[in-house]
Structure formats: structure tokens, C-alpha cells
Amino acid sequence: MAKFQLGASATLASMAIRVKDRDKMIAFYRDIIGFALKGEENALAIMGISDQKAEYLLLEESPRADQGVGQIKKMAHFSLVIPTRAEFLATIKRLRDYGTELIEVAVEPLTIACKDPEDNGIQFIYRDDALDPIYSLEQIDTLTIDVTPKLSSTVFFGPFNLNVYELAKEQEFLQTKLGFVPSQDSMIFQNDSLETMVSLTSVTDDPSEYEAHEIIGLEFIRFILTQEDLLALEAHFEEQNVPFYIDKKKSILTIYDALGVEWWFERQK
């Protein structure tokens, strides 16, 4: 029997982050990062791209969460890939002007890391144009840039990193449940059919010991995929006899990983 692998149609579409101060986080992701506020529903703020209906980032307020800024989070960082030069420059310049501490993670492609106001890590990846590359933060400081806070539909999610206490359990989930393949570094997993790569960081405090409403940070990640691939995933989980949820219309399937992060798989509309 061929080894299962998540279908090629699967695309990381959005993620939800539990926050303590929704207004402060909205202001950061709207005015500094450049997301548009698409709507608010009770404690939930929905962030997206101004010229698209799609949801990118959901901020769910939980002001009584005990685990505040500075505690171990389930997610170390997520990444936004910004393919256009002008947009990447504008985003980094807005962060500089806001006073955010920025760190150069890599040069090719140029990857800049920072943290949002509640300590969630973000990496910005520039798929550099060989004809007009960007090499460093110092180079960005010398350029005249339009810093209008707006992200375009060319922006998409890149790799994300999870903080894991029981590393073997999360590795097993990624390999056997979703078909990710470990790279030479055993803590990095890549699914050949996906743009997204998952990396794991071993930590000494267990963020999964807290209830979801008690800890701010990553709550769920959401993939969009075809009906065929969703049904194949359902059959795979049934064969493995693992607990999961699928609605009666077979349009949404969810499963929890070993860390307690909920993975959503939603049928393309």
C-alpha cells in the first residue's frame, strides 16, 4: 500500500490566534502588517486582504487567559511570503517605524523575523527578484518607500514552527496522520505536494498541558482542499482508527495533533 500523503490541492488558508487584547492586536495587524479588518463577531476579529473575501488571520479575544505574554506558546512563529519587492519593503519599513525589533534570519531568500504585541513570532520572506534583490535591513533603510499599510493577494502563508514538548508524538502525527516527510534535520517536515513546511522546536515546558482558553497564541490552522482530497483524508483517518470530526455535508474535517493544536481541512467552495 502506498504511503499516505495529504493531497496536492491542500493550501494553508488561515490560522486563528487567541489574544488577550484584541483591539491592540487588530491595530498591529491592520496598521503595521497591512491586513484588512474584514469583520468582527463577538470576541472574534477576522483579518484578510482588502480585495479578497478570504479569511487569513482570526484573532479571538480571551482576556482571562492565564498564560500571558512571555510564556511558552504552541507556535514559535508563522511566515508570510511577500513576492513583490515594493510590498516587502513597505512592510519592513512600517515595522521599523513602529519600533519593532527585527532580526535577519536568512539572506537567500531574505527573511526578517519579529514578534507581535503578544509575543507571537512572525517571519517575512521575500522571494527575491534576481534582477533587483534585497540583501539586508541596512539596504532597506537607504530606500525611499511608500509605506501605505496594505497587503495584496500575492501574499501567502509560508512555513510555520511549533514549540513541542513531546517531540516524538508530534513527529508521529505529522508523518503517519498527514504524510509529511522528515528532512535531514529530523525536526523539519515537508510535504512534497504542499507549499507549507512545518518545523518543530523542542521546549522544556509543555504548552499543551493548558486548556485552549487558558493560553494565548495559536488555536487552529486551516487548510482548503478539494472534495476528493478531503474524502481521501477521511478514509485515511478511518483506516487508522483515530479520533476526528467531519460534518454531515463532508465539507469540514478537523483533528487535534499531539500538541493540542486543531487542524482544519475545509472543502473548496
Side-chain angles (χ1 to χ4, degrees):
M1 181 180 295
K3 183 180 182 297
F4 176 81
Q5 191 171 56
L6 190 61
S9 69
T11 302
L12 178 57
S14 62
M15 60 180 58
I17 297 176
R18 190 174 293 275
V19 304
K20 290 185 72 70
D21 188 335
R22 185 181 62 168
D23 291 341
K24 186 174 183 179
M25 293 287 275
I26 288 174
F28 177 81
Y29 281 101
R30 180 190 60 205
D31 302 335
I32 308 304
I33 303 303
F35 281 114
L37 178 61
K38 310 296 284 188
E40 297 182 74
E41 301 174 4
N42 299 319
L44 190 67
I46 302 168
M47 313 295 292
I49 303 296
S50 59
D51 57 353
Q52 285 187 330
K53 292 183 179 180
E55 301 172 356
Y56 271 64
L57 187 65
L58 292 85
L59 305 175
E60 184 170 2
E61 189 172 45
S62 186
R64 292 184 296 277
D66 294 328
Q67 295 302 302
V69 174
Q71 300 293 329
I72 293 292
K73 293 175 177 288
K74 295 179 181 180
M75 178 177 66
H77 70 254
F78 68 92
S79 302
L80 289 175
V81 180
I82 306 181
T84 62
R85 178 184 174 86
E87 197 166 357
F88 182 85
L89 291 171
T91 304
I92 300 305
K93 185 64 163 60
R94 287 195 302 271
L95 287 164
R96 292 281 256 193
D97 293 344
Y98 182 69
T100 306
E101 181 181 359
L102 302 178
I103 300 172
E104 291 181 37
V105 176
V107 176
E108 294 182 2
L110 180 60
T111 302
I112 306 297
C114 74
K115 291 188 176 182
D116 71 16
E118 293 193 358
D119 235 20
N120 298 292
I122 316 171
Q123 291 191 355
F124 301 90
I125 302 172
Y126 175 53
R127 295 286 178 87
D128 55 325
D129 184 342
L131 299 177
D132 199 6
I134 307 170
Y135 295 111
S136 66
L137 286 170
E138 287 70 22
Q139 181 191 10
I140 293 173
D141 286 339
T142 67
L143 303 173
T144 301
I145 301 165
D146 176 5
V147 294
T148 303
K150 180 180 179 181
L151 294 179
S152 74
S153 58
T154 64
V155 174
F156 59 92
F157 283 111
F160 60 97
N161 180 275
L162 300 175
N163 287 320
V164 181
Y165 179 68
E166 295 182 290
L167 195 60
K169 286 186 177 180
E170 189 69 15
Q171 289 173 330
E172 192 273 340
F173 172 84
L174 292 172
Q175 287 184 261
T176 65
K177 306 301 187 296
L178 300 183
F180 281 80
V181 179
S183 72
Q184 291 181 349
D185 181 338
S186 63
M187 290 188 294
I188 299 178
F189 289 77
Q190 178 71 56
N191 185 314
D192 293 338
S193 65
L194 297 178
E195 185 73 42
T196 301
M197 178 174 63
V198 184
S199 58
L200 307 177
T201 297
S202 181
V203 295
T204 56
D205 185 25
D206 186 3
S208 67
E209 69 180 17
Y210 306 103
E211 296 294 330
H213 66 277
E214 294 179 335
I215 185 167
I216 61 175
L218 181 64
E219 187 170 354
F220 68 79
I221 50 181
R222 172 174 162 264
F223 291 81
I224 300 295
L225 70 175
T226 63
Q227 178 79 85
E228 179 183 4
D229 284 340
L230 187 144
L231 294 178
L233 186 60
E234 178 194 19
H236 173 63
F237 288 161
E238 287 180 338
E239 182 181 357
Q240 291 207 327
N241 194 30
V242 296
F244 68 96
Y245 165 82
I246 188 166
D247 67 337
K248 292 182 179 180
K249 295 181 179 179
K250 295 188 182 293
S251 61
I252 298 175
L253 184 155
T254 67
I255 187 170
Y256 285 91
D257 66 10
L259 187 59
V261 173
E262 190 172 14
W263 294 59
W264 286 44
F265 300 92
E266 186 172 328
R267 182 181 65 201
Q268 290 175 351
K269 295 180 180 179

